[in-house]
Amino acid sequence: MKRFTKHINVLITGGGTGGHYFPAVAITRELKRVLIQQYPGYDIRFFYIGSALGIEAHRDEKGLYHKKYMIPVKGFARSLYKGAVINNLKFPFRLLKSVWIVKRLFTSIKPDLVIATGGYVSGVPGREAIRRKIPLYIQEQNAWPGITTKILVKHARMLFYAYEDVLPHLHIHPGTRLIQTPNPVRSTLKLTDKPSALNTWNLQNDRKTLFVFGGSQGSLNINREVSKYAEAWVKNLPLQILWQTGPRHYELMRKDFEKKDHIYLHPFIEDMGTAYAAADLIICRAGALTLAELEYVKKPAILIPLPSSAADHQFHNAKAFEKRGIAAVITENRFDEGALDQTVRQLIARPEILEDLINHFPETIEDGLSKIVQHIVEDLPF
């Protein structure tokens, strides 16, 4: 392994979606803090490679990275609609261009270590790190591994994984260290007490709070399904609904619910900490970042996996939570059965079931972010 002089160049890669991008940001912040503290006098620089077609292209983490680079790679679409077909036809050309760009960046940056948090974009820098024999650390968030992790893990120094279910699906090299650790939770998630949270959202303390969200962009399918039952729920149950619709769907939902009692619509919720604190039950997708936050705040949920998620990983994530007794799972193909309505009514009408879900959360949650950074720092060749 390469010996450091008076500089450390760290390359972080991962993105496309928030589930891959936000762990990269969280690891960067903590690793940067620790390295600066432990190695005064060193020139420590962090670089980031993401996708020009992913969420990271529109994010600005001020002062976090020395430089951010975007490459044109995008995942291979599995559906057959027109846009997906066009994307797949462009895939080999985008990949070749990305490989060329990354080779030049590695020559310029000279990274001492590479950390990959998944998404197709991390595949190209990951492979280049392997080719140049640069230490590679992988953080896999999901219960079902993405194709990038499957390829890169064969040559990684460490694999940080959140779910044991992922291991049977990987070919692990004997030299790769396996470290199970919870997914990193973003540092901006600040918790508060429930009375203060209810006050923040103008909610009543004599009703249970159902918090509904489908990710930062919202979910039209979840919104439509909840809209079928929302009025009946707040009328017949001691329930109120805090509902993040997503910016694209807000106007559509507002027309139906703006003047309805006990239903509170928001296009986007920035302060997720107080929203979680106010909630007694949550309806949401099953992305790895969301699940890490649910475990952190110890809130029971009805998980509705995104059917189009790569390799159906959200379904596997959700089933892993259900197996632990901390969530219920409803797939979208059960919407027509009224499964969501039945489950919400059961959990609100029978609080002992809701309490049982809460009691299955571990008393203490391991700090996954600190553990990941600690292992990486301890592995540095000093």
Side-chain angles (χ1 to χ4, degrees):
M1 188 185 294
K2 180 180 175 179
R3 288 281 175 183
F4 297 132
T5 55
K6 281 288 184 180
H7 66 269
I8 303 175
N9 291 332
V10 182
L11 176 62
I12 312 282
T13 181
T17 65
H20 295 301
Y21 176 69
F22 291 119
V25 171
I27 291 170
T28 301
R29 289 191 193 283
E30 180 64 10
L31 181 58
K32 188 174 187 178
R33 183 190 69 79
V34 171
L35 289 180
I36 290 173
Q37 185 179 65
Q38 292 197 12
Y39 301 104
Y42 278 70
D43 180 17
I44 301 170
R45 296 186 178 187
F46 281 76
F47 300 85
Y48 173 79
I49 296 179
S51 170
L53 304 167
I55 184 177
E56 57 270 29
H58 309 287
R59 302 284 304 188
D60 182 16
E61 315 300 337
K62 295 185 184 300
L64 185 61
Y65 298 105
H66 183 69
K67 280 191 178 179
K68 286 178 68 175
Y69 303 95
M70 299 296 152
I71 58 178
V73 72
K74 185 177 181 180
F76 199 79
R78 293 167 173 79
S79 54
L80 296 176
Y81 69 93
K82 183 179 177 181
V85 172
I86 293 172
N87 173 74
N88 291 345
L89 290 174
K90 292 179 178 178
F91 178 78
F93 303 100
R94 288 172 171 165
L95 180 61
L96 287 173
K97 185 175 181 180
S98 297
V99 168
W100 179 75
I101 293 171
V102 166
K103 286 181 181 293
R104 292 182 64 196
L105 288 177
F106 267 67
T107 299
S108 172
I109 295 170
K110 296 180 175 59
D112 296 293
L113 63 148
V114 175
I115 301 168
T117 60
Y120 285 96
V121 69
S122 65
V124 179
R127 290 290 291 177
E128 188 63 17
I130 292 167
R131 192 180 74 83
R132 296 180 184 235
K133 295 182 171 52
I134 297 169
L136 175 65
Y137 304 87
I138 298 174
Q139 195 262 327
E140 173 57 58
Q141 301 90 23
N142 296 300
W144 191 275
I147 188 170
T148 305
T149 295
K150 288 182 177 180
I151 293 171
L152 298 181
V153 74
K154 300 171 186 177
H155 303 280
R157 278 189 70 80
M158 292 183 186
L159 170 68
F160 301 100
Y161 64 98
Y163 299 99
E164 288 184 353
D165 310 55
V166 79
L167 296 181
H169 308 290
L170 296 172
H171 297 290
I172 309 293
H173 188 273
T176 300
R177 286 184 61 192
L178 303 177
I179 300 164
Q180 186 172 18
T181 176
N183 282 316
V185 174
R186 48 185 163 177
S187 59
T188 54
L189 185 65
K190 305 297 183 185
L191 298 183
T192 186
D193 61 278
K194 187 169 184 177
S196 298
L198 291 173
N199 186 60
T200 296
W201 298 107
N202 296 314
L203 299 171
Q204 298 174 239
N205 60 15
D206 59 346
R207 285 177 171 263
K208 297 286 188 184
T209 301
L210 175 64
F211 178 29
V212 179
F213 67 99
S216 59
Q217 297 304 310
S219 164
L220 184 58
N221 287 355
I222 289 179
N223 287 339
R224 282 174 172 166
E225 190 66 8
V226 170
S227 69
K228 293 179 187 177
Y229 310 111
E231 286 187 71
W233 286 344
V234 299
K235 180 180 179 181
N236 301 322
L237 299 169
L239 190 67
Q240 56 196 341
I241 302 174
L242 177 61
W243 189 348
Q244 178 185 280
T245 63
R248 290 179 295 178
H249 312 135
Y250 176 70
E251 288 302 321
L252 179 66
M253 296 296 112
R254 187 175 67 86
K255 290 175 184 177
D256 293 330
F257 297 104
E258 184 179 28
K259 296 181 180 179
K260 303 296 183 182
D261 291 338
H262 311 304
I263 299 175
Y264 305 89
L265 300 181
H266 299 270
F268 180 75
I269 291 177
E270 184 72 38
D271 185 3
M272 288 292 286
T274 58
Y276 283 136
D280 296 285
L281 177 64
I282 296 170
I283 294 176
C284 60
R285 292 298 193 190
L289 179 64
T290 296
L291 298 190
E293 292 182 349
L294 291 181
E295 188 159 10
Y296 180 70
V297 300
K298 300 182 182 179
K299 294 290 181 175
I302 300 171
L303 302 176
I304 303 174
L306 178 67
S308 60
S309 62
D312 207 15
H313 70 263
Q314 286 205 13
F315 174 77
H316 296 285
N317 291 351
K319 296 303 284 186
F321 254 51
E322 185 180 56
K323 187 166 64 175
R324 293 172 56 194
I326 55 180
V329 178
I330 296 175
T331 53
E332 287 191 10
N333 60 12
R334 295 185 59 208
F335 279 176
D336 290 342
E337 306 170 14
L340 183 61
D341 181 40
Q342 295 166 22
T343 305
V344 169
R345 289 179 180 274
Q346 181 185 48
L347 291 173
I348 299 302
R350 297 183 59 189
E352 70 274 12
I353 300 178
L354 202 59
E355 191 66 29
D356 185 61
L357 290 174
I358 296 171
N359 290 337
H360 276 84
F361 282 100
E363 287 188 18
T364 57
I365 305 297
E366 187 177 20
D367 184 350
L369 181 58
S370 295
K371 186 174 179 180
I372 290 169
V373 168
Q374 177 187 348
H375 279 284
I376 292 173
V377 171
E378 288 176 353
D379 194 52
L380 297 180
F382 298 127

